[in-house]
Amino acid sequence: DVKVTQSSRYLVKRTGEKVFLECVQDMDHENMFWYRQDPGLGLRLIYFSYDVKMKEKGDIPEGYSVSREKKERFSLILESASTNQTSMYLCASRPGGGNRWHEQYFGPGTRLTVT
Amino acid sequence: QKEVEQNSGPLSVPEGAIASLNCTYSDRGSQSFFWYRQYSGKSPELIMSIYSNGDKEDGRFTAQLNKASQYVSLLIRDSQPSDSATYLCAVKNTGNQFYFGTGTSLTVIP
């Protein structure tokens, strides 16, 4: 059974703090993703990674960075948190290969509030 | 123009009725289409995928694809209160990019 876990379900941080969101998957998936979900805007891709130490920008990378030092772990970093980064953050993973999107699984999400 | 568009709803149907959820997409060459269900406070889970024109049935769920009209829909027959959720349409486009719609909120009234 695929399992994607995220380090926190709820997080409250202050403006200007550095924030780390961690995601771990246990299915040896090559591809990992960070999305944010906002009312009326849906799920938007921040960054993704298709291999260890590899990363690609998604649609809204500004204000974020990522790290993938091990295959099972993908971290999202907010260098200096701002109130407009208050959101639900969802991590996902899937196997490699172009047509395996149906095997994309999501973690439970981290609701981040920046005050 | 958004890659994937859905009517945000809310859509309310009585228990036992058919719920119809619709989605349009902009990239005519898109080949893969998906419906996710997301309960309040939970993460999305895949319920249907469809790749060819026509209908695909899985239990009470039917996905319909019309590539000429760039339209994909999800029908839920015999709707149950447990089907109350937000339904997200997602599309993989020709650039192997994956886009979600904003979701349609469905409430099934007992």
Short mmCIF file of all heavy atoms in Angstrom, two decimals, chain B residues 4 8 11-12 16 18 21 27-28 40 56 63 69 72 74 78-80 82 101:
data_model
loop_
_atom_site.label_atom_id
_atom_site.label_comp_id
_atom_site.label_asym_id
_atom_site.label_seq_id
_atom_site.Cartn_x
_atom_site.Cartn_y
_atom_site.Cartn_z
N VAL B 4 -7.53 23.84 -17.37
CA VAL B 4 -8.67 22.98 -17.02
C VAL B 4 -9.70 23.83 -16.30
O VAL B 4 -9.35 24.56 -15.36
CB VAL B 4 -8.24 21.81 -16.09
CG1 VAL B 4 -9.42 20.91 -15.78
CG2 VAL B 4 -7.10 21.01 -16.73
N SER B 8 -17.53 25.54 -10.29
CA SER B 8 -17.19 25.31 -8.88
C SER B 8 -18.37 24.84 -8.05
O SER B 8 -18.21 24.34 -6.94
CB SER B 8 -16.62 26.59 -8.26
OG SER B 8 -17.57 27.63 -8.33
N LEU B 11 -22.96 21.92 -6.20
CA LEU B 11 -23.97 21.12 -6.84
C LEU B 11 -24.65 20.29 -5.76
O LEU B 11 -23.97 19.62 -4.99
CB LEU B 11 -23.32 20.21 -7.89
CG LEU B 11 -24.21 19.20 -8.59
CD1 LEU B 11 -25.23 19.90 -9.47
CD2 LEU B 11 -23.35 18.24 -9.43
N SER B 12 -25.96 20.36 -5.72
CA SER B 12 -26.72 19.58 -4.74
C SER B 12 -27.66 18.64 -5.47
O SER B 12 -28.37 19.08 -6.39
CB SER B 12 -27.52 20.49 -3.82
OG SER B 12 -26.68 21.27 -3.00
N GLY B 16 -29.85 9.13 -4.30
CA GLY B 16 -30.41 8.25 -5.32
C GLY B 16 -30.42 8.84 -6.72
O GLY B 16 -30.62 8.12 -7.70
N ILE B 18 -28.79 11.07 -10.09
CA ILE B 18 -27.52 11.08 -10.84
C ILE B 18 -26.88 12.47 -10.69
O ILE B 18 -27.52 13.49 -10.94
CB ILE B 18 -27.76 10.79 -12.33
CG1 ILE B 18 -28.30 9.37 -12.51
CG2 ILE B 18 -26.45 10.96 -13.11
CD1 ILE B 18 -28.69 9.04 -13.96
N LEU B 21 -20.94 15.95 -13.30
CA LEU B 21 -19.86 16.91 -13.10
C LEU B 21 -19.12 17.09 -14.41
O LEU B 21 -18.83 16.11 -15.10
CB LEU B 21 -18.91 16.39 -12.02
CG LEU B 21 -19.58 16.05 -10.69
CD1 LEU B 21 -18.77 15.07 -9.89
CD2 LEU B 21 -19.82 17.30 -9.91
N ASP B 27 -5.88 22.29 -24.01
CA ASP B 27 -4.89 21.69 -24.92
C ASP B 27 -5.55 20.56 -25.71
O ASP B 27 -5.80 19.48 -25.18
CB ASP B 27 -3.69 21.17 -24.12
CG ASP B 27 -2.59 20.60 -25.01
OD1 ASP B 27 -2.83 20.32 -26.21
OD2 ASP B 27 -1.48 20.41 -24.50
N ARG B 28 -5.80 20.81 -26.99
CA ARG B 28 -6.52 19.84 -27.81
C ARG B 28 -5.80 18.49 -27.91
O ARG B 28 -6.42 17.46 -28.09
CB ARG B 28 -6.75 20.43 -29.20
CG ARG B 28 -7.50 19.55 -30.17
CD ARG B 28 -7.86 20.29 -31.44
NE ARG B 28 -8.92 21.26 -31.20
CZ ARG B 28 -10.22 20.95 -31.17
NH1 ARG B 28 -10.61 19.71 -31.33
NH2 ARG B 28 -11.12 21.88 -30.96
N SER B 40 -13.56 16.90 2.61
CA SER B 40 -13.15 18.09 3.34
C SER B 40 -12.02 17.77 4.32
O SER B 40 -12.12 16.85 5.13
CB SER B 40 -14.35 18.66 4.10
OG SER B 40 -13.98 19.81 4.82
N LYS B 56 -16.43 5.27 -19.81
CA LYS B 56 -15.74 4.25 -19.01
C LYS B 56 -16.48 4.14 -17.69
O LYS B 56 -16.65 5.13 -16.99
CB LYS B 56 -14.28 4.64 -18.78
CG LYS B 56 -13.51 3.62 -17.94
CD LYS B 56 -12.08 4.07 -17.73
CE LYS B 56 -11.33 3.08 -16.85
NZ LYS B 56 -9.93 3.56 -16.58
N ALA B 63 -17.08 7.84 -16.39
CA ALA B 63 -16.37 8.97 -16.97
C ALA B 63 -16.67 9.00 -18.46
O ALA B 63 -16.74 7.96 -19.11
CB ALA B 63 -14.87 8.84 -16.73
N SER B 69 -14.79 17.96 -28.56
CA SER B 69 -15.34 19.09 -27.82
C SER B 69 -14.47 19.50 -26.63
O SER B 69 -14.79 20.46 -25.93
CB SER B 69 -16.74 18.75 -27.32
OG SER B 69 -17.60 18.47 -28.41
N VAL B 72 -14.75 16.58 -20.66
CA VAL B 72 -14.78 15.32 -19.92
C VAL B 72 -15.75 15.48 -18.77
O VAL B 72 -15.84 16.55 -18.17
CB VAL B 72 -13.36 14.93 -19.45
CG1 VAL B 72 -12.74 15.99 -18.58
CG2 VAL B 72 -13.35 13.60 -18.74
N LEU B 74 -18.04 13.42 -15.39
CA LEU B 74 -18.16 12.31 -14.44
C LEU B 74 -19.62 12.22 -14.01
O LEU B 74 -20.19 13.22 -13.57
CB LEU B 74 -17.27 12.54 -13.22
CG LEU B 74 -17.33 11.45 -12.14
CD1 LEU B 74 -16.65 10.18 -12.64
CD2 LEU B 74 -16.67 11.93 -10.85
N ASP B 78 -27.04 6.76 -8.60
CA ASP B 78 -27.49 6.38 -7.25
C ASP B 78 -26.65 7.09 -6.19
O ASP B 78 -26.05 6.46 -5.31
CB ASP B 78 -27.41 4.86 -7.08
CG ASP B 78 -28.04 4.37 -5.79
OD1 ASP B 78 -28.92 5.07 -5.26
OD2 ASP B 78 -27.63 3.29 -5.30
N SER B 79 -26.59 8.40 -6.29
CA SER B 79 -25.74 9.20 -5.39
C SER B 79 -26.06 8.91 -3.93
O SER B 79 -27.23 8.79 -3.54
CB SER B 79 -25.93 10.69 -5.67
OG SER B 79 -25.48 11.01 -6.96
N GLN B 80 -25.01 8.84 -3.13
CA GLN B 80 -25.13 8.59 -1.70
C GLN B 80 -24.56 9.78 -0.92
O GLN B 80 -23.67 10.48 -1.41
CB GLN B 80 -24.35 7.32 -1.34
CG GLN B 80 -24.81 6.08 -2.07
CD GLN B 80 -26.23 5.72 -1.71
OE1 GLN B 80 -26.59 5.61 -0.54
NE2 GLN B 80 -27.07 5.53 -2.73
N SER B 82 -22.41 9.74 1.21
CA SER B 82 -20.95 9.57 1.30
C SER B 82 -20.22 10.06 0.04
O SER B 82 -18.99 10.15 0.04
CB SER B 82 -20.61 8.10 1.54
OG SER B 82 -21.12 7.30 0.48
N GLY B 101 -8.26 21.15 -12.31
CA GLY B 101 -9.29 22.17 -12.25
C GLY B 101 -9.47 22.61 -10.81
O GLY B 101 -8.88 22.05 -9.88
#
